[in-house]
Amino acid sequence: MSGASRSVAEIMSQPVVTASGAQSVADASARMREQEVGSVVVVDGDRPVGILTERDLVRMSAAGGAPTDTVAQWMTADPDSVAPDVDAVTAFATLAEHGYRHIPVVDDGRLVGIVSMRDLMRIAQIQPAENLAHEVPRGLEGVVVAETRIGDVRGTEGFYHYRQYNAVELAETRSLEDVWYLMHHGELPTMPERAAFAAEVRSLRCIPAEVQSALPEIARVASHAPPLDLLRTTLSLIGAALGFRPSLDLSAVELHEQAMRVCAVVPTLLCALYRLQHDLEVVEPRPDLAYAANYLYMMSGDVPSAEHARGVEQYLISTIDHGFNASTFTARVITSTGADLVAAVVGAIGALSGPLHGGAPSRALDMLDAIGTIDKADAWLRDAVERGDRLMGFGHRVYKTDDPRSVMLRSVAERLGGPRVELAKQVEQAAIDVLAELKPGRKLYTNVEFYAGVVMDTCGVSRDMFTPTFASSRVIGWTAHILEQAADNRLIRPSAQYVGVPPPQPVPPAG
Ligand SMILES: CC(C)(COP(=O)(O)OP(=O)(O)OC[C@H]1O[C@@H](n2cnc3c(N)ncnc32)[C@H](O)[C@@H]1OP(=O)(O)O)[C@@H](O)C(=O)NCCC(=O)NCCS
């Protein structure tokens, strides 16, 4: 290891970001975010008495702690420390052995710095896989795998944001095109920028002629396939027809142009496939209609009411991005190989199609239909959970409190009215009660998918188009991440812990 001769004092970070035990966890985690560090050392004067790490925050959220809890309640008390004159190899071994990511540097009882696994790896090119594999949580829960400026989700606070803005506020006050601009340019558009952007993206809505002419045959061959599967296939075809090249070989400007093209064409492609599958004539996009109104128009052939267009638009805005969800991560992994932009989007569509990710809203509506009336809800839900089924539209990897998207969509559903809203609200409460009783401590609440189905159904989106509609907005988020990954790329190539039969076993003779 090349860092063997360097001491901890030479590589440690200072000043250390500290907190007091009496401070609230919310304050401490805000400080961690501001300072871009993964832990704070809890001090009494200049003496370290504990450490609060991102992992403690995950533990706290899983155990139902509140942001108002004190740091002392959730910190790891009396943390191990390292002396400044210890060499980097020994410090690395201590971190790896205990599974720590950060270790305070203490000289004569006084806190003088902090050394992180990242610091050590930066100087030492250590291969940590075999030492660290045991500490990776299943499903990578809580593991930070990248830095991003696009947005984030704060699970314990029930808050998420796009760039610097509260995403729910954007969905309540802005158009989809404004938020699309924000995701790709980092700022909301000024009035002239808004007009120029609308003109730019509306002109990109048309399907390339060579692909358009192949669509009827594709829809015929796979007439019963979910529209999302057909989107995957036909988007691949568009990438090939337009000659999309590996992102590694493209400039940021070229990649941005491709991203705009793909985001603009996805709704058109989806609606064309949907109509062809239903033996209907394809409806061309209308440049005078804004995104959501045009989407509903291309799907149904009728210009929607302003209320329905706005309801769908709010849903679309609220689902553009959501932290490092499975499909976004997939898009970034594929981009990290330098593959072309469409390859990354197609991979992301595959990830989104799973019921544990984006495939839930139609199932949530199916559940409402199966329950039928509120008097049957408790028994139906209880039975499902006792059987080991998951209630679709409930639970979330990150949110351990209300999903802000479900809160917003509930109010959109109430505003729009419709036959299912009252039943949905009552079933929601019954489901939360049943989950609290049968899955205590898991903190299972309504997620985005529950009211998504209700809203889309009221606005005339058919059930098989729910997840595709989700994809048509999420592609804006995926491509923002693709561009960010490509702009500062390193191949994402993690490791796994081998737990199979110990090798090498003798290879038996063939035959
Ligand atoms: C979204 C989801 C995949 C998150 O899963 P996760 O963070 O990996 O949570 P886990 O699968 O570890 O579940 C933790 C516990 O809660 C239970 N649980 C989670 N969601 C549940 C649900 N919707 N219904 C019933 N039980 C649920 C699990 O059975 C598990 O119980 P156990 O401890 O007895 O084994 C999960 O909540 C789910 O399957 N929800 C339903 C599908 C859905 O709505 N998807 C859309 C997501 S936006």
Side-chain angles (χ1 to χ4, degrees), residues 138-139 141 322 354-361 363-364 381 384-386 388-400 403 405 431 435 438-450 470 474:
R138 263 163 70 76
E141 177 165 356
H322 205 239
L356 299 189
H357 187 3
R363 292 175 186 235
L381 297 163
V385 177
E386 278 167 355
D389 288 354
R390 286 177 180 232
L391 302 182
M392 290 294 149
F394 294 88
H396 197 271
R397 171 60 65 80
V398 184
Y399 291 125
K400 301 302 169 195
D403 179 336
R405 302 168 300 177
L435 288 167
L438 300 181
K439 294 276 175 186
R442 274 41 153 236
K443 302 245 163 227
L444 300 169
Y445 298 99
T446 326
N447 65 45
V448 61
E449 309 284 26
F450 187 69
F470 185 176
R474 186 52 66 87

Side-chain angles (χ1 to χ4, degrees), residues 225-246:
L228 204 60
D229 293 8
L230 289 188
L231 175 70
R232 215 170 52 201
T233 303
T234 50
L235 201 56
S236 230
L237 191 59
I238 288 191
L242 295 179
F244 278 21
R245 289 184 295 123

Side-chain angles (χ1 to χ4, degrees), residues 345-388:
V345 172
V346 168
I349 294 171
L352 184 78
S353 66
L356 299 189
H357 187 3
S362 54
R363 292 175 186 235
L365 206 60
D366 292 345
M367 180 176 83
L368 277 184
D369 287 351
I371 292 173
T373 50
I374 187 59
D375 53 306
K376 306 214 184 71
D378 184 74
W380 194 100
L381 297 163
R382 200 171 279 280
D383 198 41
V385 177
E386 278 167 355
R387 232 182 8 243

Side-chain angles (χ1 to χ4, degrees), residues 312-362:
V312 169
E313 181 171 46
Q314 287 183 281
Y315 165 72
L316 291 167
I317 296 172
S318 73
T319 49
I320 284 178
D321 187 48
H322 205 239
F324 254 62
N325 58 84
S327 57
T328 299
F329 184 44
T330 304
R332 288 191 75 131
V333 170
I334 295 175
T335 304
S336 86
T337 70
D340 72 70
L341 180 130
V342 159
V345 172
V346 168
I349 294 171
L352 184 78
S353 66
L356 299 189
H357 187 3
S362 54

Side-chain angles (χ1 to χ4, degrees), residues 173-183 187-190 194 197:
T173 58
R174 290 297 188 135
S175 69
L176 183 125
E177 279 155 340
D178 274 5
V179 183
W180 177 356
Y181 185 96
L182 168 72
M183 300 309 275
E187 293 292 344
L188 283 164
T190 59
R194 173 179 302 141
F197 185 68

